[in-house]
Amino acid sequence: MTAIAAAFDMENALKKLGLQDVNKGTSTGSNTFGSGELIESYSPVDGQLIGKVTSTTKEDYEEVLSAAGKAFKEWRSIPAPQRGEMVRQFGEKLRELKEPLGKLVSYEMGKSYQEGLGEVQEMIDICDFAVGLSRQLHGLTMHSERPGHRMYEQYHPLGVVGIISAFNFPVAVWAWNTALAWVCGDVCVWKPSEKTPLCGVACQNIIAEVLRENNLPEGISCLINGDYHVGEYMTHDKRVPLVSATGSIRMGKIVAQAVAARLGKSLLELGGNNAIIVTPDADIKMTVIGAVFGAVGTAGQRCTSTRRLIIHESVYDNVKNALVDAYGQLKIGNPLDESNHVGPLIDTDAVAMYQNALKKVQEEGGSILVEGKVFSGDGFESGCYVKPAIVEAENSFDIVQEETFAPILYLLKYSGDIENAIEQQNAVVQGLSSAVMTNNLREAERFLSAAGSDCGIANVNIGTSGAEIGGAFGGEKETGGGRESGSDAWKIYMRRQTNTINYTTELPLAQGIKFDL
């Protein structure tokens, strides 16, 4: 255990999460199958090995699906409010283990401890939301055109829900899906990112205890570990009617095609290329706070991270100078130290992607305002720490059109009215999050209109990063069109059924057809 891990008491945190034996390559937990090769998890904080888990083979996967399918037959018949009670208990366990799980999220993924705790709080919040939802899985009643008939709609569980999550939110996105799917009567099979496998095992241990205490089938929650090959087991499996996948656009297209080929359903949360529009009526102080947090938070590894700042020419220099000054105050280092603002990227492959993006933007004619840098030496032994960069660029640059999962902020200029800024903002293939900074009501409403932002999330006077549990989260275009979390996102986890009841002694046929016997 390194000095950083020891100071953070990681050994005790792992013990509380049932992970004390992870260095032996054991995958503990209910329905955590793995007899394949070992997956080693290294912390980007200090480069040290945290633990090992075994990957899932095809044979292991078949056991998982068998257990899940069997559990579904029992789980779907339990009344939804009782399913909600199980989720409530899961939320209570998360409250008890918020500190150790938050530490593990921070250490294995590399985000700040505050963000790690915040991610676990998101899990707790979605459990609370799901408990209330368990008594509100409502349908509709309609008037029939036929006398003596009643029509209504109701929703039923789908079955096995497959979940593929990304490294940047190693626990919250799983909870967004499972909490809703469980109260809907579904069972879940989860493949966490191979870059953060211990977070997956920890969560599985927590829910497994809840299931045991309630004498419920362990197959309600299952875990599979491995690379994309393991994910392919689910995407090609007709026994998995819904696959929820979070990740890159490239990955999402592969998943969507595979699931669509078998006429399954997919819920896709893919890339973002998020912009903040800064108008002449913007509050500059608020703008800088929102832009800096959005661009450097989680080292730019959020799907909602701010990638582009579209600034009106009349305030461009003021905003630019304020940003450069703010970046000069950023502290980069161990994310477990609350005095630091920016932690590491997830691994050295991400570092190489960051370096390549900065090289490409210069080749296309971009101008570096705040230079990037890869840190090394004492405190940066993992080789994953980089300096957030600011680049003056054009929206048409190829690299600007891409999502680079790193702290690079592109400054773009617009002239004229807000329509010109909105046109730039929408001129990318991604459509996740967007924002406008303005005190002009007309500009704000124009941005939120049907002719405004084409993103799934559109904010006024707050940044692009972050979302509340109560609203549906997701984006349009190549972001995938999926919706998770609040509002009526629960409907994706269920199948709709229309029912007609005839309470007369007659059987009228359609179009007045007579068929007397």
Side-chain angles (χ1 to χ4, degrees):
M1 192 69 67
T2 66
I4 289 177
F8 206 50
D9 200 13
M10 279 307 306
E11 187 172 351
N12 188 46
L14 293 174
K15 184 177 181 180
K16 288 181 178 179
L17 297 169
L19 298 173
Q20 60 267 31
D21 295 323
V22 289
N23 281 314
K24 299 177 183 178
T26 55
S27 289
T28 57
S30 167
N31 273 343
T32 305
F33 286 96
S35 58
E37 298 179 354
L38 287 177
I39 301 172
E40 296 181 327
S41 178
Y42 290 88
S43 171
V45 175
D46 54 13
Q48 297 300 305
L49 177 68
I50 311 173
K52 309 170 186 176
V53 301
T54 48
S55 58
T56 302
T57 65
K58 181 62 174 170
E59 291 73 22
D60 299 329
Y61 174 78
E62 290 300 323
E63 289 188 58
V64 167
L65 259 290
S66 175
K70 183 178 179 181
F72 173 62
K73 292 179 180 179
E74 178 177 342
W75 185 237
R76 67 185 175 186
S77 298
I78 294 175
Q82 292 184 30
R83 299 194 295 254
E85 169 59 19
M86 185 277 286
V87 174
R88 186 195 66 79
Q89 293 178 33
F90 178 53
E92 289 302 306
K93 292 287 185 184
L94 291 172
R95 284 180 169 89
E96 296 171 12
L97 296 170
K98 181 177 178 179
E99 181 180 331
L101 185 56
K103 286 181 178 180
L104 177 60
V105 169
S106 301
Y107 191 56
E108 188 173 35
M109 186 270 152
K111 62 176 59 177
S112 71
Y113 181 42
Q114 301 98 305
E115 288 184 273
L117 292 174
E119 187 167 344
V120 180
Q121 186 61 48
E122 284 191 42
M123 301 175 75
I124 295 168
D125 292 344
I126 196 64
C127 285
D128 289 348
F129 180 90
V131 172
L133 178 65
S134 68
R135 295 180 183 272
Q136 300 179 69
L137 301 174
H138 51 76
L140 297 171
T141 59
M142 291 81 73
H143 289 281
S144 174
E145 64 184 32
R146 292 168 288 188
H149 287 63
R150 181 166 71 88
M151 291 179 62
Y152 68 95
E153 289 182 343
Q154 60 179 331
Y155 288 84
H156 293 304
L158 279 175
V160 179
V161 172
I163 302 166
I164 301 172
S165 64
F167 72 85
N168 59 331
F169 282 88
V171 296
V173 172
W174 168 72
W176 286 3
N177 283 273
T178 51
L180 299 192
W182 284 334
V183 297
C184 288
D186 300 314
V187 299
C188 299
V189 179
W190 178 27
K191 193 203 86 65
S193 170
E194 62 271 29
K195 297 181 180 183
T196 52
L198 299 180
C199 286
V201 178
C203 290
Q204 183 67 8
N205 287 347
I206 296 170
I207 185 59
E209 183 177 354
V210 175
L211 295 174
R212 285 195 299 269
E213 290 174 352
N214 288 272
N215 196 30
L216 289 169
E218 59 183 14
I220 290 171
S221 180
C222 301
L223 185 75
I224 55 178
N225 276 309
D227 60 14
Y228 71 94
H229 292 100
V230 175
E232 286 178 344
Y233 298 156
M234 289 195 296
T235 58
H236 290 88
D237 193 338
K238 291 183 178 180
R239 296 170 295 179
V240 183
L242 171 65
V243 175
S244 173
T246 303
S248 68
I249 291 174
R250 182 193 62 80
M251 179 273 283
K253 288 181 176 180
I254 294 171
V255 169
Q257 292 175 39
V259 175
R262 58 179 177 83
L263 298 181
K265 299 170 67 177
S266 58
L267 192 170
L268 302 175
E269 296 289 357
L270 310 177
N273 195 347
N274 315 297
I276 298 177
I277 294 173
V278 186
T279 80
D281 289 311
D283 182 314
I284 301 301
K285 182 178 179 180
M286 287 177 61
T287 296
V288 171
I289 293 171
V292 173
F293 175 75
V296 309
T298 326
Q301 296 173 112
R302 294 185 178 193
C303 53
T304 55
S305 290
T306 304
R307 311 284 176 203
R308 298 174 296 145
L309 212 57
I310 305 171
I311 311 166
H312 192 271
E313 60 184 1
S314 65
V315 294
Y316 184 86
D317 287 339
N318 289 340
V319 174
K320 178 178 72 172
N321 294 335
L323 283 169
V324 171
D325 181 64
Y327 269 52
Q329 301 173 50
L330 293 176
K331 295 181 180 179
I332 302 155
N334 173 15
L336 310 182
D337 181 345
E338 294 185 17
S339 66
N340 289 323
H341 302 109
V342 185
L345 294 176
I346 186 64
D347 54 26
T348 54
D349 288 340
V351 173
M353 180 176 61
Y354 158 86
Q355 292 175 303
N356 187 52
L358 289 176
K359 180 182 177 182
K360 282 186 176 180
V361 75
Q362 287 180 287
E363 291 174 350
E364 292 191 68
S367 175
I368 304 292
L369 277 177
V370 176
E371 291 188 6
K373 176 183 178 182
V374 179
F375 294 94
S376 60
D378 188 30
F380 303 109
E381 290 85 358
S382 69
C384 297
Y385 291 85
V386 302
K387 182 181 178 182
I390 301 178
V391 183
E392 291 184 286
E394 297 291 336
N395 201 58
S396 58
F397 290 178
D398 289 342
I399 190 61
V400 175
Q401 291 286 310
E402 298 176 11
E403 177 190 41
T404 301
F405 235 47
I408 301 175
L409 179 63
Y410 300 116
L411 302 191
L412 314 173
K413 187 183 293 186
Y414 82 97
S415 58
D417 57 26
I418 194 172
E419 277 77 9
N420 296 326
I422 293 172
E423 184 178 356
Q424 280 199 64
Q425 180 205 274
N426 293 347
V428 294
V429 298
Q430 307 88 349
L432 180 52
S433 188
S434 59
V436 63
M437 293 292 184
T438 182
N439 288 322
N440 184 312
L441 178 61
R442 289 189 176 94
E443 288 182 330
E445 291 293 341
R446 178 69 178 79
F447 178 75
L448 299 175
S449 73
S453 170
D454 64 2
C455 296
I457 299 169
N459 300 325
V460 177
N461 289 332
I462 62 173
T464 63
S465 188
E468 291 189 34
I469 287 298
F473 178 88
E476 298 302 317
K477 301 190 293 188
E478 292 193 8
T479 298
R483 292 297 185 274
E484 295 173 330
S485 191
S487 186
D488 64 349
W490 61 271
K491 291 181 178 179
I492 189 68
Y493 304 97
M494 305 194 82
R495 58 183 177 88
R496 184 189 304 214
Q497 185 180 82
T498 300
N499 307 117
T500 305
I501 300 171
N502 178 2
Y503 55 90
T504 73
T505 58
E506 303 280 330
L507 183 55
L509 302 178
Q511 288 82 46
I513 295 174
K514 301 294 183 181
F515 190 67
D516 297 323
L517 293 177

